[in-house]
Amino acid sequence: MAAYAKIKIFYISIGFWLILGVESYSGGSNHTLTIYPGGSVTIPCHYDKKYTQQKKSWFSEIDQTSTYTNTTEQNLSVIDHPDQSLFTVTMRNLQNKHTGLYYCVVETGEQPPIKTIYEPYLKIQTAPDVSVVNSSVSGHEGGNISVQCLYSSGYQNKTKQWCRYKDQSCYTVGRTVTSQNSSVQIRDDDGRRSFTVLMTGLRRTDSGWYFCSVGDALNPVHITVTEAEPGKAKDTSESGHQENNNNTTEVTDKLQKENKLLTVWLPVSAALLLLLILISVFIWRWRRRPKQDEQQIRGRNGSRNNDAIYSKPEDPVIYSTINDENPNDAHKDTTTYSTIDNIPGSEAKPPAGGTVYSSVAPHQQQQ
């Protein structure tokens, strides 16, 4: 016989259970797990420690088959965890044909011989009534973790809860429950049709299976709390399977790098721009200076009248008229000096005495 046995067992059907006296699941109303087509789900089945050595199985009412623990198939795994007093059922590639009622069963070895410990109803939906962003979340002892639960529009007015499978203890939206060092806060966001569970001050005993619940629909989540690393601050939140956290870290690192670049390049760019402006102003002034000097020289030359000397080569006398720039300026020296000399090539001869007389007087301009 193979390591596992997958056989049809009709004695486990409801009618035969009633004959044998089967202890039914007493955990309240059936839980409805809503799953995407093609998706997967892991369901925990808790049992009493006294059944650790007993046979456990996963029973499908759809095809009346039972799969015992420690069985692994392509789309189904049933694994016992005796140290945690539970076995898990993982179903993969779920399709509409998998919609139906299932049972977690323990063969007690006593009366009644069969005990149903859990009765989940699987419902495959294109838009699940209840789903979770991450089905497995982990954090360090003393730190925090958060879980986001989503629900459809038809479930907006139903009760939202965060529950623990083991003892069926639940925390309701709008209430903060503190237990010793850890606390649970649940906040609902009707606009986004989701509620967020925040667990703070984590303890190792907080590890285990939980589920997001809205009305009678739910979705399981596994929480793992590891020992805090010595010498390091306890994490505020960490998820081994949360891609959102990884994306947030990448975005934060990118923003920090961009801020460093801005911090370095902004002052450098400003200094380069200022230097460029100064060089441009210097070149502009340097190019304008020759034109200004030329204009100033022309202005000065235009304000002074240098009269030509009126004489003929045969004239014995050289006449020269000198006009002052501003003869009425009281602060200016009124003495005008004039040097008169022979013009080369002139036929005029200087007087015998060698003395040249020159009369210099202010020239009054006619209005």
Side-chain angles (χ1 to χ4, degrees), residues 78-364:
V78 183
I79 307 298
D80 192 12
H81 305 276
D83 57 328
Q84 302 177 43
S85 298
L86 64 86
F87 68 91
T88 56
V89 180
T90 301
M91 302 181 70
R92 293 172 287 271
N93 192 26
L94 291 167
Q95 304 299 329
N96 290 332
K97 65 181 181 180
H98 295 115
T99 296
L101 187 62
Y102 296 82
Y103 301 93
C104 295
V105 178
V106 173
E107 296 181 12
T108 64
E110 56 188 18
Q111 292 297 327
I114 303 297
K115 181 183 177 75
T116 303
I117 56 178
Y118 190 35
E119 299 178 12
Y121 182 86
L122 264 62
K123 190 175 183 180
I124 313 304
Q125 296 178 306
T126 304
D129 292 329
V130 175
S131 60
V132 293
V133 175
N134 298 287
S135 60
S136 182
V137 182
S138 63
H140 286 310
E141 186 177 12
N144 309 329
I145 59 171
S146 63
V147 178
Q148 188 174 10
C149 309
L150 312 176
Y151 54 85
S152 63
S153 57
Y155 281 70
Q156 281 184 309
N157 297 324
K158 295 185 180 294
T159 303
K160 290 91 176 176
Q161 292 183 316
W162 171 252
C163 303
R164 188 164 190 171
Y165 265 107
K166 186 175 183 178
D167 54 11
Q168 296 295 306
S169 59
C170 296
Y171 307 91
T172 307
V173 166
R175 297 179 184 176
T176 299
V177 181
T178 302
S179 175
Q180 294 184 4
N181 296 327
S182 61
S183 65
V184 177
Q185 302 175 25
I186 306 178
R187 289 172 294 190
D188 189 17
D189 187 346
D190 288 336
R192 297 184 178 180
R193 295 201 299 272
S194 69
F195 67 91
T196 303
V197 180
L198 177 64
M199 298 180 67
T200 61
L202 291 172
R203 299 171 298 164
R204 298 291 297 276
T205 55
D206 290 326
S207 295
W209 284 94
Y210 297 77
F211 59 84
C212 292
S213 168
V214 183
D216 61 350
L218 60 87
N219 216 289
V221 178
H222 186 259
I223 301 296
T224 302
V225 181
T226 58
E227 185 178 359
E229 298 181 10
K232 291 185 178 182
K234 296 178 180 178
D235 294 345
T236 56
S237 63
E238 179 182 359
S239 171
H241 301 272
Q242 288 182 332
E243 295 182 358
N244 291 343
N245 286 0
N246 295 335
N247 293 337
T248 301
T249 303
E250 291 176 1
V251 171
T252 303
D253 293 341
K254 185 176 180 180
L255 289 176
Q256 289 178 348
K257 291 180 180 178
E258 290 179 353
N259 288 338
K260 289 181 180 179
L261 289 175
L262 289 175
T263 304
V264 174
W265 283 109
L266 277 180
V268 173
S269 301
L272 290 175
L273 181 61
L274 180 60
L275 180 61
L276 183 61
I277 292 174
L278 292 175
I279 293 174
S280 300
V281 171
F282 175 78
I283 293 174
W284 177 76
R285 291 179 62 87
W286 180 76
R287 288 183 176 180
R288 281 183 56 89
R289 186 175 183 85
K291 295 181 180 180
Q292 291 177 348
D293 293 344
E294 183 179 352
Q295 291 175 356
Q296 292 175 359
I297 293 171
R298 288 178 179 177
R300 287 197 298 268
N301 292 339
S303 63
R304 182 184 300 271
N305 293 325
N306 294 325
D307 294 340
I309 298 174
Y310 301 98
S311 64
K312 293 180 181 180
E314 63 275 11
D315 291 341
V317 180
I318 300 174
Y319 300 92
S320 176
T321 302
I322 300 174
N323 295 331
D324 189 20
E325 293 179 359
N326 189 3
N328 297 322
D329 189 353
H331 300 285
K332 188 174 182 180
D333 187 4
T334 57
T335 304
T336 301
Y337 298 92
S338 176
T339 302
I340 301 175
D341 201 353
N342 265 342
I343 297 175
S346 175
E347 296 179 0
K349 302 296 182 181
T355 301
V356 179
Y357 298 94
S358 175
S359 297
V360 180
H363 176 71
Q364 300 295 331

Side-chain angles (χ1 to χ4, degrees), residues 3-72:
Y4 67 91
K6 185 174 182 181
I7 60 174
K8 290 190 175 183
I9 50 173
F10 296 98
Y11 70 88
I12 212 169
S13 62
I14 296 178
F16 200 63
W17 283 350
L18 293 175
I19 296 174
L20 294 177
V22 177
E23 184 177 351
S24 299
Y25 172 65
S26 58
S29 60
N30 292 341
H31 288 168
T32 301
L33 280 67
T34 56
I35 313 296
Y36 288 99
S40 62
V41 65
T42 299
I43 303 169
C45 302
H46 288 84
Y47 55 79
D48 195 293
K49 286 185 178 180
K50 65 181 181 180
Y51 300 132
T52 300
Q53 302 300 324
Q54 303 302 317
K55 290 183 178 181
K56 300 102 183 171
S57 61
W58 172 253
F59 179 74
S60 170
E61 194 176 69
I62 300 172
D63 56 7
Q64 299 290 302
T65 58
S66 201
T67 304
Y68 285 91
T69 54
N70 299 325
T71 298
T72 301

